[in-house]
Amino acid sequence: KSGNNNIRIAGLVDVPNGCACVDSFYTFRGNFDPLELWTELRWNTYTDVDFHLLRPGASFPGDLWTASDCYYSNKTPSWGAFLDVDNTSGRGPEHITIPTVSAQGVYRLFVHYYASRGVSATSAYVSVSVRNAPNEEFGPLALSRSASRGGDVWEVCTITYPAGTVTRVMSKTTLPGLDGGTSLARSVKK
């Protein structure tokens, strides 16, 4: 975001005859055009949790995993959203942004528990900012049923344009998955 951005790097580094502690703090100043929409997904386990944004007019659950959905297999849909990274091994973050809204209407933001990696449950947290306003925080919400195209799906909120209004939804649905909705220990995304 514009303004000061702080990064702290802390850890241990191997050196001859032992290790050394590294603890550095950096501040970067940026001047960026405001994003129409900035979102962040984090979770508390080494599992695979996914972010989804449905465009205006798209339906749930029918349009999940389609061209109307910004997600891991459609990171840069033609309607202007961007998913930065698909974090498949834990804790996030993942971000979906829209620099400039091209389609007016109601966008719907979802979190999906894709693969448990042997963990019984995870808690997800979401931050949302419209036009660089202060973040709105959602969660934690517990997710316990994973499936590649099913399992727990949390509708976090809607974002309505042109006003940029964020409306809390906080609704969890468990969809039947390709694997019958059972927990996946291993899964491969395409």
Side-chain angles (χ1 to χ4, degrees), residues 134-176:
N135 292 351
E136 294 192 40
E137 304 295 336
F138 302 87
L141 188 110
L143 304 169
S144 60
R145 301 222 17 176
S146 66
S148 60
R149 297 241 173 156
D152 284 349
V153 178
W154 168 28
E155 185 170 8
V156 179
C157 65
T158 62
I159 306 97
T160 305
Y161 287 97
T165 306
V166 177
T167 304
R168 201 171 277 274
V169 176
M170 301 296 290
S171 175
K172 184 170 76 170
T173 303
T174 302
L175 301 174

mmCIF file of all heavy atoms in Angstrom, residues 134-176:
data_model
loop_
_atom_site.group_PDB
_atom_site.id
_atom_site.type_symbol
_atom_site.label_atom_id
_atom_site.label_comp_id
_atom_site.label_asym_id
_atom_site.label_seq_id
_atom_site.Cartn_x
_atom_site.Cartn_y
_atom_site.Cartn_z
ATOM 1 N N PRO A 134 -9.115 1.743 5.666
ATOM 2 C CA PRO A 134 -8.632 0.785 6.669
ATOM 3 C C PRO A 134 -9.219 -0.615 6.427
ATOM 4 O O PRO A 134 -10.347 -0.753 5.958
ATOM 5 C CB PRO A 134 -9.138 1.376 7.989
ATOM 6 C CG PRO A 134 -9.277 2.837 7.711
ATOM 7 C CD PRO A 134 -9.709 2.934 6.269
ATOM 8 N N ASN A 135 -8.419 -1.626 6.758
ATOM 9 C CA ASN A 135 -8.844 -3.010 6.556
ATOM 10 C C ASN A 135 -10.068 -3.347 7.395
ATOM 11 O O ASN A 135 -10.166 -2.942 8.553
ATOM 12 C CB ASN A 135 -7.725 -3.980 6.947
ATOM 13 C CG ASN A 135 -6.543 -3.912 6.028
ATOM 14 O OD1 ASN A 135 -6.577 -3.267 4.989
ATOM 15 N ND2 ASN A 135 -5.475 -4.578 6.409
ATOM 16 N N GLU A 136 -10.968 -4.113 6.795
ATOM 17 C CA GLU A 136 -12.049 -4.748 7.544
ATOM 18 C C GLU A 136 -11.609 -6.187 7.778
ATOM 19 O O GLU A 136 -11.146 -6.856 6.857
ATOM 20 C CB GLU A 136 -13.355 -4.686 6.759
ATOM 21 C CG GLU A 136 -13.849 -3.258 6.592
ATOM 22 C CD GLU A 136 -15.277 -3.182 6.085
ATOM 23 O OE1 GLU A 136 -16.112 -3.994 6.541
ATOM 24 O OE2 GLU A 136 -15.547 -2.307 5.254
ATOM 25 N N GLU A 137 -11.749 -6.657 9.021
ATOM 26 C CA GLU A 137 -11.243 -7.975 9.413
ATOM 27 C C GLU A 137 -12.402 -8.957 9.590
ATOM 28 O O GLU A 137 -13.437 -8.610 10.149
ATOM 29 C CB GLU A 137 -10.442 -7.872 10.706
ATOM 30 C CG GLU A 137 -9.283 -6.888 10.652
ATOM 31 C CD GLU A 137 -8.185 -7.284 9.676
ATOM 32 O OE1 GLU A 137 -8.047 -8.493 9.370
ATOM 33 O OE2 GLU A 137 -7.462 -6.388 9.213
ATOM 34 N N PHE A 138 -12.184 -10.198 9.119
ATOM 35 C CA PHE A 138 -13.173 -11.263 9.211
ATOM 36 C C PHE A 138 -12.494 -12.511 9.760
ATOM 37 O O PHE A 138 -11.387 -12.842 9.366
ATOM 38 C CB PHE A 138 -13.757 -11.561 7.823
ATOM 39 C CG PHE A 138 -14.404 -10.380 7.167
ATOM 40 C CD1 PHE A 138 -13.655 -9.503 6.401
ATOM 41 C CD2 PHE A 138 -15.753 -10.136 7.332
ATOM 42 C CE1 PHE A 138 -14.241 -8.407 5.792
ATOM 43 C CE2 PHE A 138 -16.352 -9.041 6.728
ATOM 44 C CZ PHE A 138 -15.600 -8.179 5.959
ATOM 45 N N GLY A 139 -13.192 -13.237 10.637
ATOM 46 C CA GLY A 139 -12.645 -14.466 11.181
ATOM 47 C C GLY A 139 -12.089 -14.246 12.571
ATOM 48 O O GLY A 139 -12.169 -13.143 13.107
ATOM 49 N N PRO A 140 -11.586 -15.308 13.176
ATOM 50 C CA PRO A 140 -11.330 -16.600 12.546
ATOM 51 C C PRO A 140 -12.617 -17.402 12.337
ATOM 52 O O PRO A 140 -13.576 -17.246 13.076
ATOM 53 C CB PRO A 140 -10.430 -17.310 13.558
ATOM 54 C CG PRO A 140 -10.823 -16.728 14.880
ATOM 55 C CD PRO A 140 -11.202 -15.302 14.593
ATOM 56 N N LEU A 141 -12.573 -18.230 11.297
ATOM 57 C CA LEU A 141 -13.653 -19.166 11.045
ATOM 58 C C LEU A 141 -13.031 -20.548 10.877
ATOM 59 O O LEU A 141 -12.086 -20.711 10.102
ATOM 60 C CB LEU A 141 -14.448 -18.796 9.797
ATOM 61 C CG LEU A 141 -15.692 -19.676 9.681
ATOM 62 C CD1 LEU A 141 -16.944 -18.869 9.947
ATOM 63 C CD2 LEU A 141 -15.759 -20.369 8.355
ATOM 64 N N ALA A 142 -13.539 -21.537 11.615
ATOM 65 C CA ALA A 142 -12.996 -22.896 11.575
ATOM 66 C C ALA A 142 -13.482 -23.623 10.323
ATOM 67 O O ALA A 142 -14.667 -23.598 9.995
ATOM 68 C CB ALA A 142 -13.407 -23.670 12.820
ATOM 69 N N LEU A 143 -12.539 -24.258 9.635
ATOM 70 C CA LEU A 143 -12.819 -25.088 8.468
ATOM 71 C C LEU A 143 -12.334 -26.494 8.798
ATOM 72 O O LEU A 143 -11.197 -26.671 9.217
ATOM 73 C CB LEU A 143 -12.091 -24.547 7.241
ATOM 74 C CG LEU A 143 -12.383 -23.091 6.878
ATOM 75 C CD1 LEU A 143 -11.410 -22.602 5.821
ATOM 76 C CD2 LEU A 143 -13.814 -22.926 6.414
ATOM 77 N N SER A 144 -13.196 -27.498 8.610
ATOM 78 C CA SER A 144 -12.819 -28.852 9.025
ATOM 79 C C SER A 144 -13.024 -29.918 7.950
ATOM 80 O O SER A 144 -12.511 -31.017 8.084
ATOM 81 C CB SER A 144 -13.588 -29.255 10.284
ATOM 82 O OG SER A 144 -14.979 -29.220 10.034
ATOM 83 N N ARG A 145 -13.756 -29.615 6.886
ATOM 84 C CA ARG A 145 -13.985 -30.610 5.827
ATOM 85 C C ARG A 145 -13.327 -30.117 4.552
ATOM 86 O O ARG A 145 -13.712 -29.096 4.018
ATOM 87 C CB ARG A 145 -15.473 -30.821 5.610
ATOM 88 C CG ARG A 145 -16.139 -31.285 6.893
ATOM 89 C CD ARG A 145 -17.126 -32.338 6.774
ATOM 90 N NE ARG A 145 -17.089 -33.084 5.556
ATOM 91 C CZ ARG A 145 -17.871 -34.112 5.337
ATOM 92 N NH1 ARG A 145 -18.722 -34.499 6.245
ATOM 93 N NH2 ARG A 145 -17.815 -34.767 4.209
ATOM 94 N N SER A 146 -12.335 -30.858 4.078
ATOM 95 C CA SER A 146 -11.627 -30.459 2.862
ATOM 96 C C SER A 146 -12.002 -31.390 1.712
ATOM 97 O O SER A 146 -12.306 -32.557 1.912
ATOM 98 C CB SER A 146 -10.115 -30.481 3.091
ATOM 99 O OG SER A 146 -9.673 -31.796 3.318
ATOM 100 N N ALA A 147 -11.983 -30.836 0.519
ATOM 101 C CA ALA A 147 -12.203 -31.598 -0.708
ATOM 102 C C ALA A 147 -11.771 -30.726 -1.872
ATOM 103 O O ALA A 147 -11.858 -29.500 -1.794
ATOM 104 C CB ALA A 147 -13.666 -32.004 -0.861
ATOM 105 N N SER A 148 -11.319 -31.352 -2.958
ATOM 106 C CA SER A 148 -10.756 -30.564 -4.058
ATOM 107 C C SER A 148 -11.771 -29.623 -4.686
ATOM 108 O O SER A 148 -11.452 -28.481 -4.976
ATOM 109 C CB SER A 148 -10.148 -31.481 -5.110
ATOM 110 O OG SER A 148 -11.130 -32.339 -5.633
ATOM 111 N N ARG A 149 -12.975 -30.053 -4.925
ATOM 112 C CA ARG A 149 -14.018 -29.172 -5.459
ATOM 113 C C ARG A 149 -15.277 -29.359 -4.630
ATOM 114 O O ARG A 149 -16.355 -29.640 -5.146
ATOM 115 C CB ARG A 149 -14.284 -29.467 -6.930
ATOM 116 C CG ARG A 149 -13.076 -29.217 -7.806
ATOM 117 C CD ARG A 149 -13.336 -28.169 -8.821
ATOM 118 N NE ARG A 149 -12.109 -27.856 -9.527
ATOM 119 C CZ ARG A 149 -12.070 -27.354 -10.726
ATOM 120 N NH1 ARG A 149 -13.178 -27.108 -11.369
ATOM 121 N NH2 ARG A 149 -10.931 -27.070 -11.284
ATOM 122 N N GLY A 150 -15.110 -29.193 -3.344
ATOM 123 C CA GLY A 150 -16.207 -29.338 -2.386
ATOM 124 C C GLY A 150 -15.663 -29.042 -1.006
ATOM 125 O O GLY A 150 -14.745 -28.257 -0.861
ATOM 126 N N GLY A 151 -16.231 -29.667 0.014
ATOM 127 C CA GLY A 151 -15.769 -29.410 1.373
ATOM 128 C C GLY A 151 -16.291 -28.080 1.885
ATOM 129 O O GLY A 151 -17.253 -27.520 1.367
ATOM 130 N N ASP A 152 -15.642 -27.557 2.922
ATOM 131 C CA ASP A 152 -16.080 -26.305 3.535
ATOM 132 C C ASP A 152 -15.752 -25.113 2.640
ATOM 133 O O ASP A 152 -14.608 -24.934 2.214
ATOM 134 C CB ASP A 152 -15.408 -26.106 4.895
ATOM 135 C CG ASP A 152 -16.015 -26.979 5.983
ATOM 136 O OD1 ASP A 152 -17.083 -27.589 5.755
ATOM 137 O OD2 ASP A 152 -15.420 -27.039 7.073
ATOM 138 N N VAL A 153 -16.783 -24.299 2.398
ATOM 139 C CA VAL A 153 -16.650 -23.050 1.654
ATOM 140 C C VAL A 153 -17.285 -21.961 2.503
ATOM 141 O O VAL A 153 -18.449 -22.056 2.885
ATOM 142 C CB VAL A 153 -17.330 -23.121 0.270
ATOM 143 C CG1 VAL A 153 -17.199 -21.786 -0.452
ATOM 144 C CG2 VAL A 153 -16.744 -24.254 -0.562
ATOM 145 N N TRP A 154 -16.506 -20.918 2.792
ATOM 146 C CA TRP A 154 -16.940 -19.809 3.642
ATOM 147 C C TRP A 154 -17.173 -18.596 2.760
ATOM 148 O O TRP A 154 -16.240 -18.116 2.111
ATOM 149 C CB TRP A 154 -15.868 -19.547 4.689
ATOM 150 C CG TRP A 154 -15.976 -18.295 5.492
ATOM 151 C CD1 TRP A 154 -17.102 -17.600 5.823
ATOM 152 C CD2 TRP A 154 -14.891 -17.583 6.092
ATOM 153 N NE1 TRP A 154 -16.786 -16.510 6.591
ATOM 154 C CE2 TRP A 154 -15.426 -16.466 6.774
ATOM 155 C CE3 TRP A 154 -13.512 -17.778 6.133
ATOM 156 C CZ2 TRP A 154 -14.648 -15.549 7.470
ATOM 157 C CZ3 TRP A 154 -12.736 -16.868 6.826
ATOM 158 C CH2 TRP A 154 -13.300 -15.772 7.493
ATOM 159 N N GLU A 155 -18.416 -18.106 2.704
ATOM 160 C CA GLU A 155 -18.657 -16.828 2.041
ATOM 161 C C GLU A 155 -18.387 -15.738 3.063
ATOM 162 O O GLU A 155 -19.108 -15.592 4.037
ATOM 163 C CB GLU A 155 -20.066 -16.694 1.484
ATOM 164 C CG GLU A 155 -20.229 -15.396 0.698
ATOM 165 C CD GLU A 155 -21.514 -15.279 -0.106
ATOM 166 O OE1 GLU A 155 -22.395 -16.144 0.029
ATOM 167 O OE2 GLU A 155 -21.621 -14.306 -0.875
ATOM 168 N N VAL A 156 -17.325 -14.978 2.829
ATOM 169 C CA VAL A 156 -16.835 -13.992 3.782
ATOM 170 C C VAL A 156 -17.682 -12.723 3.725
ATOM 171 O O VAL A 156 -18.207 -12.254 4.725
ATOM 172 C CB VAL A 156 -15.361 -13.653 3.496
ATOM 173 C CG1 VAL A 156 -14.838 -12.611 4.467
ATOM 174 C CG2 VAL A 156 -14.506 -14.915 3.520
ATOM 175 N N CYS A 157 -17.798 -12.142 2.522
ATOM 176 C CA CYS A 157 -18.479 -10.864 2.372
ATOM 177 C C CYS A 157 -18.820 -10.632 0.914
ATOM 178 O O CYS A 157 -18.394 -11.389 0.034
ATOM 179 C CB CYS A 157 -17.609 -9.717 2.901
ATOM 180 S SG CYS A 157 -16.087 -9.441 1.964
ATOM 181 N N THR A 158 -19.578 -9.569 0.673
ATOM 182 C CA THR A 158 -19.795 -9.066 -0.676
ATOM 183 C C THR A 158 -19.191 -7.669 -0.744
ATOM 184 O O THR A 158 -19.088 -6.975 0.266
ATOM 185 C CB THR A 158 -21.286 -9.011 -1.046
ATOM 186 O OG1 THR A 158 -21.954 -8.113 -0.155
ATOM 187 C CG2 THR A 158 -21.929 -10.387 -0.975
ATOM 188 N N ILE A 159 -18.793 -7.276 -1.952
ATOM 189 C CA ILE A 159 -18.282 -5.934 -2.191
ATOM 190 C C ILE A 159 -19.076 -5.396 -3.371
ATOM 191 O O ILE A 159 -19.068 -5.992 -4.453
ATOM 192 C CB ILE A 159 -16.773 -5.920 -2.507
ATOM 193 C CG1 ILE A 159 -15.974 -6.658 -1.402
ATOM 194 C CG2 ILE A 159 -16.270 -4.490 -2.634
ATOM 195 C CD1 ILE A 159 -15.651 -8.072 -1.736
ATOM 196 N N THR A 160 -19.786 -4.296 -3.165
ATOM 197 C CA THR A 160 -20.673 -3.747 -4.179
ATOM 198 C C THR A 160 -20.069 -2.472 -4.768
ATOM 199 O O THR A 160 -19.709 -1.551 -4.040
ATOM 200 C CB THR A 160 -22.062 -3.441 -3.582
ATOM 201 O OG1 THR A 160 -22.568 -4.635 -2.967
ATOM 202 C CG2 THR A 160 -23.031 -2.979 -4.652
ATOM 203 N N TYR A 161 -19.968 -2.444 -6.106
ATOM 204 C CA TYR A 161 -19.471 -1.271 -6.821
ATOM 205 C C TYR A 161 -20.591 -0.706 -7.675
ATOM 206 O O TYR A 161 -21.431 -1.460 -8.150
ATOM 207 C CB TYR A 161 -18.271 -1.651 -7.706
ATOM 208 C CG TYR A 161 -17.040 -1.920 -6.892
ATOM 209 C CD1 TYR A 161 -16.680 -3.216 -6.551
ATOM 210 C CD2 TYR A 161 -16.245 -0.873 -6.447
ATOM 211 C CE1 TYR A 161 -15.551 -3.451 -5.777
ATOM 212 C CE2 TYR A 161 -15.115 -1.103 -5.678
ATOM 213 C CZ TYR A 161 -14.782 -2.392 -5.360
ATOM 214 O OH TYR A 161 -13.664 -2.625 -4.603
ATOM 215 N N PRO A 162 -20.672 0.634 -7.815
ATOM 216 C CA PRO A 162 -19.582 1.587 -7.689
ATOM 217 C C PRO A 162 -19.344 2.121 -6.277
ATOM 218 O O PRO A 162 -18.316 2.757 -6.032
ATOM 219 C CB PRO A 162 -19.988 2.736 -8.620
ATOM 220 C CG PRO A 162 -21.466 2.710 -8.620
ATOM 221 C CD PRO A 162 -21.841 1.255 -8.461
ATOM 222 N N ALA A 163 -20.230 1.898 -5.323
ATOM 223 C CA ALA A 163 -20.071 2.508 -3.996
ATOM 224 C C ALA A 163 -18.865 1.960 -3.230
ATOM 225 O O ALA A 163 -18.286 2.659 -2.407
ATOM 226 C CB ALA A 163 -21.337 2.293 -3.164
ATOM 227 N N GLY A 164 -18.477 0.702 -3.486
ATOM 228 C CA GLY A 164 -17.378 0.096 -2.735
ATOM 229 C C GLY A 164 -17.803 -0.351 -1.346
ATOM 230 O O GLY A 164 -16.991 -0.394 -0.427
ATOM 231 N N THR A 165 -19.064 -0.712 -1.189
ATOM 232 C CA THR A 165 -19.607 -1.125 0.100
ATOM 233 C C THR A 165 -19.270 -2.582 0.392
ATOM 234 O O THR A 165 -19.541 -3.465 -0.428
ATOM 235 C CB THR A 165 -21.143 -0.955 0.116
ATOM 236 O OG1 THR A 165 -21.452 0.395 -0.242
ATOM 237 C CG2 THR A 165 -21.728 -1.293 1.469
ATOM 238 N N VAL A 166 -18.699 -2.834 1.564
ATOM 239 C CA VAL A 166 -18.395 -4.195 2.010
ATOM 240 C C VAL A 166 -19.494 -4.628 2.970
ATOM 241 O O VAL A 166 -19.785 -3.935 3.944
ATOM 242 C CB VAL A 166 -17.021 -4.250 2.715
ATOM 243 C CG1 VAL A 166 -16.740 -5.656 3.242
ATOM 244 C CG2 VAL A 166 -15.918 -3.789 1.774
ATOM 245 N N THR A 167 -20.116 -5.783 2.685
ATOM 246 C CA THR A 167 -21.190 -6.314 3.522
ATOM 247 C C THR A 167 -20.778 -7.680 4.047
ATOM 248 O O THR A 167 -20.475 -8.597 3.273
ATOM 249 C CB THR A 167 -22.508 -6.433 2.729
ATOM 250 O OG1 THR A 167 -22.827 -5.151 2.181
ATOM 251 C CG2 THR A 167 -23.638 -6.919 3.610
ATOM 252 N N ARG A 168 -20.766 -7.819 5.358
ATOM 253 C CA ARG A 168 -20.396 -9.057 6.038
ATOM 254 C C ARG A 168 -21.443 -10.141 5.743
ATOM 255 O O ARG A 168 -22.629 -9.902 5.895
ATOM 256 C CB ARG A 168 -20.361 -8.756 7.536
ATOM 257 C CG ARG A 168 -19.565 -9.669 8.385
ATOM 258 C CD ARG A 168 -19.462 -9.105 9.805
ATOM 259 N NE ARG A 168 -18.405 -8.126 9.940
ATOM 260 C CZ ARG A 168 -17.145 -8.441 10.207
ATOM 261 N NH1 ARG A 168 -16.797 -9.678 10.408
ATOM 262 N NH2 ARG A 168 -16.226 -7.507 10.300
ATOM 263 N N VAL A 169 -20.988 -11.342 5.323
ATOM 264 C CA VAL A 169 -21.890 -12.481 5.096
ATOM 265 C C VAL A 169 -21.634 -13.560 6.147
ATOM 266 O O VAL A 169 -22.560 -14.019 6.801
ATOM 267 C CB VAL A 169 -21.748 -13.050 3.669
ATOM 268 C CG1 VAL A 169 -22.617 -14.293 3.490
ATOM 269 C CG2 VAL A 169 -22.116 -11.988 2.634
ATOM 270 N N MET A 170 -20.394 -14.026 6.268
ATOM 271 C CA MET A 170 -19.978 -14.985 7.301
ATOM 272 C C MET A 170 -20.849 -16.250 7.299
ATOM 273 O O MET A 170 -21.373 -16.671 8.316
ATOM 274 C CB MET A 170 -19.999 -14.331 8.681
ATOM 275 C CG MET A 170 -19.084 -13.122 8.801
ATOM 276 S SD MET A 170 -17.354 -13.528 8.591
ATOM 277 C CE MET A 170 -17.051 -14.429 10.105
ATOM 278 N N SER A 171 -20.971 -16.882 6.123
ATOM 279 C CA SER A 171 -21.783 -18.085 5.980
ATOM 280 C C SER A 171 -20.900 -19.231 5.495
ATOM 281 O O SER A 171 -20.204 -19.098 4.487
ATOM 282 C CB SER A 171 -22.906 -17.822 4.975
ATOM 283 O OG SER A 171 -23.634 -18.995 4.726
ATOM 284 N N LYS A 172 -20.935 -20.372 6.202
ATOM 285 C CA LYS A 172 -20.144 -21.546 5.818
ATOM 286 C C LYS A 172 -21.077 -22.619 5.277
ATOM 287 O O LYS A 172 -22.102 -22.916 5.866
ATOM 288 C CB LYS A 172 -19.349 -22.078 7.008
ATOM 289 C CG LYS A 172 -18.436 -23.244 6.629
ATOM 290 C CD LYS A 172 -17.481 -23.617 7.745
ATOM 291 C CE LYS A 172 -18.174 -24.378 8.826
ATOM 292 N NZ LYS A 172 -17.240 -24.954 9.811
ATOM 293 N N THR A 173 -20.694 -23.197 4.132
ATOM 294 C CA THR A 173 -21.435 -24.268 3.486
ATOM 295 C C THR A 173 -20.477 -25.429 3.268
ATOM 296 O O THR A 173 -19.313 -25.212 2.940
ATOM 297 C CB THR A 173 -21.968 -23.795 2.111
ATOM 298 O OG1 THR A 173 -22.770 -22.637 2.306
ATOM 299 C CG2 THR A 173 -22.779 -24.869 1.423
ATOM 300 N N THR A 174 -20.943 -26.662 3.431
ATOM 301 C CA THR A 174 -20.132 -27.824 3.089
ATOM 302 C C THR A 174 -20.703 -28.427 1.820
ATOM 303 O O THR A 174 -21.845 -28.881 1.789
ATOM 304 C CB THR A 174 -20.117 -28.857 4.231
ATOM 305 O OG1 THR A 174 -19.607 -28.223 5.412
ATOM 306 C CG2 THR A 174 -19.239 -30.041 3.880
ATOM 307 N N LEU A 175 -19.903 -28.400 0.758
ATOM 308 C CA LEU A 175 -20.311 -28.933 -0.540
ATOM 309 C C LEU A 175 -19.773 -30.347 -0.711
ATOM 310 O O LEU A 175 -18.667 -30.642 -0.256
ATOM 311 C CB LEU A 175 -19.749 -28.060 -1.668
ATOM 312 C CG LEU A 175 -20.146 -26.588 -1.680
ATOM 313 C CD1 LEU A 175 -19.384 -25.861 -2.782
ATOM 314 C CD2 LEU A 175 -21.641 -26.449 -1.875
ATOM 315 N N PRO A 176 -20.524 -31.222 -1.388
ATOM 316 C CA PRO A 176 -19.970 -32.541 -1.707
ATOM 317 C C PRO A 176 -18.819 -32.350 -2.686
ATOM 318 O O PRO A 176 -18.885 -31.497 -3.578
ATOM 319 C CB PRO A 176 -21.137 -33.288 -2.350
ATOM 320 C CG PRO A 176 -22.050 -32.215 -2.834
ATOM 321 C CD PRO A 176 -21.857 -31.037 -1.934
#
